[in-house]
Amino acid sequence: QVQLVESGGGLVQAGGSLRLSCTASGRTVSTYAMGWFRQAPGKEREFVGSISWSGGSTYYADSVKGRFTISRDNAKNTVYLQMNSLKPEDTAVYYCAADLTRYRVRATKYGSWGQGTQVTVSS
């Protein structure tokens, strides 16, 4: 099984930036599409974006398109979420997840999840 650990969350002012990391252990994730999700208090978990196994394709929710960028470094077994122009409504716990079917361009079914990292954006 693959274990995922998110890091990089914290408190930032509106308009600021953060970069989240998701580091995998136990197995390489270099052949898995990966995704980022978030869950705000009292709300359902929502999709933020995903990246293909090769890193060649990315997909984003409309709410973050143009502000967030997903990338990956397969040599480091790590996926990143660069968040710019943050807004208070981006406040949430952010989770990364892996689609454990190899060589997917677009993740469809996530089999492993991290424990999440808190992002708080103050106005």
Side-chain angles (χ1 to χ4, degrees), residues 38-46 91-93 95 118:
R38 66 186 182 186
Q39 187 167 20
K43 295 187 177 181
E44 293 188 354
R45 185 174 60 195
E46 65 173 352
T91 295
V93 177
Y95 301 89
Q118 176 71 46

Side-chain angles (χ1 to χ4, degrees), residues 11-89:
L11 174 64
V12 64
Q13 288 188 333
S17 298
L18 281 175
R19 188 177 81 156
L20 306 184
S21 299
C22 171
T23 301
S25 63
R27 188 192 303 179
T28 178
V29 293
S30 63
T31 59
Y32 300 146
M34 302 288 291
W36 284 95
F37 292 78
R38 66 186 182 186
Q39 187 167 20
K43 295 187 177 181
E44 293 188 354
R45 185 174 60 195
E46 65 173 352
F47 171 78
V48 173
S50 66
I51 187 167
S52 63
W53 71 274
S54 67
S57 298
T58 52
Y59 308 90
Y60 299 97
D62 287 344
S63 58
V64 306
K65 200 171 293 182
R67 300 188 298 123
F68 290 11
T69 303
I70 298 175
S71 61
R72 65 190 301 159
D73 185 338
N74 283 339
K76 295 183 178 180
N77 227 19
T78 300
V79 178
Y80 303 98
L81 178 65
Q82 177 67 45
M83 305 185 294
N84 299 328
S85 302
L86 282 162
K87 305 175 181 179
E89 51 264 42

